[in-house]
Amino acid sequence: MLKIGVFGCGAIGTELCKAIDSGHIGVELYAVYDRHEQSLIDLKEQLKNTDPKVLEIVEMVKHVDLVVECASQQAVYEVVPTTLHAKCDVMVISVGAFADKKLLDTTFDIAKENGCKVYFPSGAIVGLDGLTSASAASIYSVTLTTQKHPRSLEGAPYIVQNNIDLDSIKGKTVLFEGMASEAVKAFPANVNVAASLSIAGIGFDKTKVKIVANPALTRNIHEITVEGEFGMFTTRVENVPAPTNPKTSYLAALSAISTLKKIADPIKVGT
Ligand SMILES: NC(=O)C1=CN([C@@H]2O[C@H](COP(=O)(O)OP(=O)(O)OC[C@H]3O[C@@H](n4cnc5c(N)ncnc54)[C@H](O)[C@@H]3O)[C@@H](O)[C@H]2O)C=CC1
Ligand SMILES: O=C([O-])CC(=O)C(=O)O
């Protein structure tokens, strides 16, 4: 049975650990890590059947087959190279870190050299399967429009640096329009999905992103339009926020769970 290490035990990590603990995925939850001890305590209280070891990444990779990063873009710099050098596979949720081309190229090279896989789940968006298929031919444009409640955008570097008063936003307001390369740095906890789209499609410098604050919303909305040689598609998802982190959509946690199941299962459905 595949041994899993989960790095980051917040909204997504906790749901993933609970799903493994329930026995439905067919993998073993061997180790977990979080820099906040309380997150580990809270997690362990919710596990009924397993008692994973708490191991820092350097120790974790000595014992597991696959590490799931669900911590932060900053953590990716530590977790991904360490995991791949140890010849373990890695699933990355904080995909925005890969707007750093050097990190993306190095990751590709180390993974190839060590015969490892790097998985980027669809996360909070719908349509990555279609984009992946479409990218076997020419893609002309990829556009993401993300709408969230202003509260979900709190603390983003773009909001802080531009002194944007989120409380003063009373109606639907476009806060950002630009390329994915800038968007994932400006809103690192909000549009990692723009990074997955960029990697699957036409890259960080051609994928367009619009971020809208909308105080009327109770859900996180992501709309994607792709045009290419295949034709065009649009997708729209209205995501229920994760109960413990309004920035994150519940679907992102489900996507990590399903990707892990797909890795473990002999039958793979979808592109
Ligand atoms: N790809 C996608 O579609 C999505 C990606 N995300 C990203 O996934 C990541 C996890 O999301 P959530 O679980 O909602 O976040 P969260 O904030 O609820 O949990 C993150 C946990 O990781 C820990 N952590 C952060 N940096 C760490 C480090 N350097 N070392 C050790 N522990 C660290 C924190 O203490 C926290 O407990 C975030 O980066 C988030 O922006 C979130 C939603 C969708
Ligand atoms: O969960 C979401 O709606 C999207 C998100 O936060 C991200 O991509 O970072």
Side-chain angles (χ1 to χ4, degrees):
M1 203 185 262
L2 219 57
K3 287 185 181 170
I4 308 297
V6 174
F7 189 98
C9 302
I12 295 176
T14 298
E15 287 303 322
L16 182 62
C17 290
K18 281 163 58 185
I20 302 173
D21 182 64
S22 74
H24 295 311
I25 306 189
V27 298
E28 178 187 348
L29 181 60
Y30 187 88
V32 292
Y33 183 73
D34 198 291
R35 64 182 169 196
H36 288 134
E37 209 184 332
Q38 192 57 46
S39 302
L40 292 165
I41 294 167
D42 293 346
L43 168 70
K44 289 208 171 201
E45 273 172 7
Q46 297 179 66
L47 301 180
K48 296 190 172 75
N49 305 306
T50 42
D51 185 17
K53 295 180 198 319
V54 175
L55 298 177
E56 291 196 14
I57 190 66
V58 175
E59 277 306 307
M60 189 186 277
V61 296
K62 291 181 187 164
H63 301 279
V64 303
D65 303 300
L66 183 147
V67 173
V68 183
E69 175 286 324
C70 33
S72 58
Q73 289 187 22
Q74 181 219 345
V76 170
Y77 284 86
E78 182 192 353
V79 171
V80 171
T82 308
T83 304
L84 295 175
H85 278 303
K87 299 191 192 302
C88 289
D89 295 336
V90 64
M91 188 196 302
V92 181
I93 313 291
S94 308
V95 195
F98 289 102
D100 179 344
K101 193 175 175 321
K102 198 169 158 216
L103 179 69
L104 186 58
D105 291 347
T106 323
T107 298
F108 185 89
D109 290 345
I110 311 172
K112 206 171 167 200
E113 216 173 280
N114 290 303
C116 301
K117 301 269 186 258
V118 181
Y119 299 97
F120 300 124
S122 302
I125 48 171
V126 173
L128 216 52
D129 53 347
L131 178 56
T132 304
S133 301
S135 69
S138 294
I139 307 274
Y140 308 140
S141 66
V142 180
T143 309
L144 166 73
T145 302
T146 291
Q147 285 191 60
K148 290 193 176 184
H149 191 283
R151 179 180 60 232
S152 300
L153 303 169
E154 261 169 26
Y158 187 86
I159 302 294
V160 175
Q161 282 154 21
N162 292 291
N163 287 318
I164 296 171
D165 177 8
L166 292 168
D167 291 335
S168 70
I169 296 176
K170 300 295 174 219
K172 203 169 157 181
T173 307
V174 177
L175 292 183
F176 174 93
E177 270 186 286
M179 292 305 161
S181 49
E182 306 154 57
V184 297
K185 289 177 192 144
F187 294 88
N190 295 108
V191 287
N192 284 282
V193 289
S196 317
L197 273 179
S198 302
I199 295 166
I202 50 177
F204 286 87
D205 294 326
K206 289 190 184 145
T207 303
K208 294 182 192 132
V209 180
K210 191 194 275 192
I211 298 174
V212 181
N214 185 349
L217 290 180
T218 53
R219 295 184 174 179
N220 299 327
I221 300 177
H222 300 289
E223 290 166 294
I224 294 164
T225 301
V226 176
E227 291 184 84
E229 218 174 332
F230 73 98
M232 73 88 81
F233 73 76
T234 60
T235 70
R236 173 185 165 97
V237 60
E238 297 187 11
N239 282 320
V240 172
T244 56
N245 184 356
K247 293 184 171 78
T248 286
S249 301
Y250 180 46
L251 187 67
L254 298 179
S255 164
I257 293 168
S258 295
T259 301
L260 195 51
K261 198 165 184 314
K262 192 171 176 179
I263 293 167
D265 276 358
I267 293 173
K268 327 263 183 216
V269 183
T271 336

